[in-house]
Structure formats: C-alpha cells, structure tokens
Amino acid sequence: MSMLVADELTKQFPGESQPAVDAVSFTVEPGEFIVLLGPSGCGKTTLLKMINRLYEPTSGRFFIEGVDARDMPVTALRRRIGYAIQQTGLFPHLRIAQNIAVVPRLLGWSNDRIEARIDALLDLVGLPREFRQRYPRQLSGGQQQRVGLARALAADPAMMLMDEPFGALDAITRTRLQDELMAIQRKLHKTILFVTHDIEEALRLADRVMVMKDGRIIQFAPPLMLLAQPEDPFVAELTGASDLLRQLSLITVERALAHPGLQPSTDETADLTPLHPQDDLRLALTRLLSVGDEGLVVVEDGRMCGRLTLNHLQAVLRDTALLGAQR
Ligand SMILES: Nc1ncnc2c1ncn2[C@@H]1O[C@H](COP(=O)(O)OP(=O)(O)O)[C@@H](O)[C@H]1O
Ligand SMILES: [Mg+2]
C-alpha cells in the first residue's frame, strides 16, 4: 500500500490571489526518499504543513497508508510523522536528552524505555552520549540539526517531513549530514519528504524529485530523468539539464560497464588508483582524462571487474541524450 496519496490538495490563504498549493496530486511509496525542489514561495512548506496537519487544506484530500487523514486524530497522525526544520525548533531551556524525549514522553513511554531510546538515537545521529546534559546553545549548528533529526525519529515514525533542515549549515557540514541522513535511511527505510531549494542537495539525496512552481508540481521524477527529460524549460533551467558533468555525476561506473554496446575488457594490467563500481562517472572522467586510451581498472573487493574507458562514458551519455530526444 502507498505511504502517502494526495488528491487535488489545495491551500488558499485568505486575501492571497493565488493558492499557495494548487490542486496537487501525487503518490509516494513506502521507503522512498522524496525531495521537494523549487524556488522560494512555490508552496513547499505549505504542502508539508498540510501533511502534518499544521494547516488544514482548503480542498482536496490525502491518505496515509490508505486512511483519509481527516479520519485520524491529529495526535495519532503526528505520531506517525517526524518533523524537522531548519531552525531546529529545539527548546532552548531543555537539555538535549529532554529535547529528544519530548514525543516519547507525550506518548507515555516508561522512563527506562525513554532513556534507552535517547542513547540509541544519539548513537544513530553520531553524537556523543555526554551531550545529553547540554543545552542546545552549547552545540554547533550541525550538532543541533543532528539533535533535531534524533527528535524527529524518536517515536520511530513511518514518515519524516524535513523542511530545509540543512539550509543554514556551511557546505562541509551540510555534505556530512547529507551522507549521514542517507546512511540512516539505508538502515531505517523511512519514507522521507525533504524540502530544499538547493539543486545539488536534491539530486544527491532523492529517489525522486518533485519540482514545484507557483503551487503546482511541474515534474516528479528520478534525478537522472529530470536532467535527461526535463518536462519544461523551467525544469531544464533549474536543474542545469544541459550540464553533462552533472549528468555524469548521477551515473555509476557499474552502469557504464554494463553498457550493452561495449565489451568489458578484463586484462590484468594493474592501476594505481582503481575505480569502484559505485563511483560516479564525473569522478571517473577526471581520472580518465589523465590516463589516456587504455582506461581505468575497476575493482571491487580486491577483484578486477572491468576496465572503464572514455567510450563507456560517451555511450552512456548518448543513451541519456536519446532518452531526452524521445519525448
Ligand atoms: N500563513 C500564511 N498566510 C498567508 N500566506 C502564506 C502563509 N504561508 C505561506 N504563504 C504564502 O504561500 C506561498 C507559499 O509559501 P511557502 O509554502 O512558505 O513557500 P516555500 O516553502 O516554497 O518557500 C507564498 O506566496 C507565501 O507568501
Ligand atoms: Mg519554505
């Protein structure tokens, strides 16, 4: 069963000429990492807040695991949804442990269970347990976001809504938190709706990207599809679809080696810096440019599994270009 189904969901604020969210319909499957991408004011936050019932829709409906959200008490609904935001929303006068425990306490968990949960969550988000006793202001911005993530995960919700959670962080901290979020996702298989206006973040994290503009969904597709088949000039411009390097960054070495038009060669000349099958082709290209025609060895678990050449890259790019031309 689908995790979330939205049916013509609309929010019209009083006194505004256009709806903030305009009759959007979409379906999200369990375990999907969805990124909502679009310029400021396009309705991303409003959409998340309707799903969390912080705003009531003006019209339309949505279903969580098949149940109409209006038929669920708000508290029951929010228990199944974790919410994390850019400003973290941590309570400044509560210690980290108390902040993380807010929802479990509301749910009446026993003290033992709550204490164990706090430890487990601190481990999960990569914070030392000594941080339990600190106050939010005694943590860096990135650490506070980790606490925000731990708090959102506290009652083990099926779905996570994240509204530009890394928006205020410096680039290095941000990339690190993206990596950890992806690692957590691989472990926990939550359904995630993650808002950003940063295209790199969207392409990096998403299974599918929902591109929004003026309250509407312009395209809802996997990252490579957005680049190869933008539905609309707006999407092409937003995603930089003409950027070949960006396309290469979304394709793995493994996929290029499996290209049907080319025989994987497996001669055993050793290479100093072998590629891994899961490396992306952008990285591969930068290395290939310095080695010449013989290409680069691809190694997994100490075993050579192929040799990647510029021909592979050209073949794969031709495929995605053809994909785009088929429309
Ligand atoms: N509480 C509100 N009252 C009136 N208008 C609002 C309110 N919240 C958002 N809006 C308007 O709705 C539109 C979408 O806003 P928002 O969902 O916050 O966009 P985003 O998160 O994509 O930047 C904007 O035009 C914004 O001004
Ligand atoms: Mg917003």
Side-chain angles (χ1 to χ4, degrees), residues 11-64:
K11 182 68 184 180
Q12 170 79 56
F13 288 109
E16 296 283 321
S17 56
Q18 300 289 326
V21 173
D22 192 0
V24 302
S25 300
F26 60 89
T27 298
V28 174
E29 302 305 332
E32 274 197 295
F33 198 135
I34 304 297
V35 173
L36 280 64
L37 175 73
S40 178
C42 72
K44 306 179 297 293
T45 295
T46 304
L47 180 54
L48 281 202
K49 286 188 170 176
M50 281 195 281
I51 293 166
N52 209 12
R53 299 267 309 265
L54 290 167
Y55 291 156
E56 287 304 319
T58 313
S59 62
R61 299 176 301 172
F62 68 100
F63 302 84
I64 294 182

Side-chain angles (χ1 to χ4, degrees), residues 44-45 163-164 195:
K44 306 179 297 293
T45 295
D163 197 348
E164 307 208 26
V195 166

Side-chain angles (χ1 to χ4, degrees), residues 169-318:
L169 305 177
D170 65 85
I172 292 173
T173 309
R174 186 178 187 138
T175 306
R176 194 174 305 146
L177 276 165
Q178 288 168 359
D179 288 341
E180 300 213 0
L181 181 60
M182 287 190 282
I184 288 171
Q185 169 65 355
R186 279 193 293 274
K187 231 183 279 178
L188 303 182
H189 310 293
K190 300 293 179 192
T191 307
I192 300 179
L193 269 63
F194 182 108
V195 166
T196 187
H197 57 255
D198 177 346
I199 175 67
E200 297 293 345
E201 185 165 71
L203 297 178
R204 194 147 187 258
L205 293 175
D207 293 319
R208 287 193 293 157
V209 182
M210 184 184 291
V211 181
M212 292 184 69
K213 184 189 177 192
D214 299 336
R216 298 220 175 90
I217 298 173
I218 306 293
Q219 189 166 1
F220 189 17
L224 189 57
M225 202 69 129
L226 284 188
L227 296 179
Q229 292 183 268
E231 293 264 331
D232 171 302
F234 170 77
V235 177
E237 195 184 328
L238 185 76
T239 57
S242 57
D243 183 341
L244 287 184
L245 285 178
R246 191 169 263 172
Q247 296 203 20
L248 287 173
S249 74
L250 295 171
I251 306 172
T252 60
V253 166
E254 184 174 39
R255 177 160 161 196
L257 278 182
H259 193 280
L262 297 165
Q263 289 300 319
S265 115
T266 46
D267 75 84
E268 290 283 347
T269 336
D271 248 307
L272 289 179
T273 51
L275 289 165
H276 187 271
Q278 294 308 315
D279 284 339
D280 69 65
L281 293 184
R282 181 178 178 154
L283 173 80
L285 176 64
T286 58
R287 301 239 194 104
L288 277 170
L289 290 175
S290 61
V291 297
D293 289 346
E294 74 270 30
L296 285 167
V297 168
V298 182
V299 171
E300 185 172 32
D301 300 329
R303 258 194 48 247
M304 174 169 172
C305 50
R307 183 177 280 280
L308 188 85
T309 65
L310 279 173
N311 286 337
H312 289 99
L313 269 58
Q314 281 161 348
V316 166
L317 277 178
R318 251 191 327 268

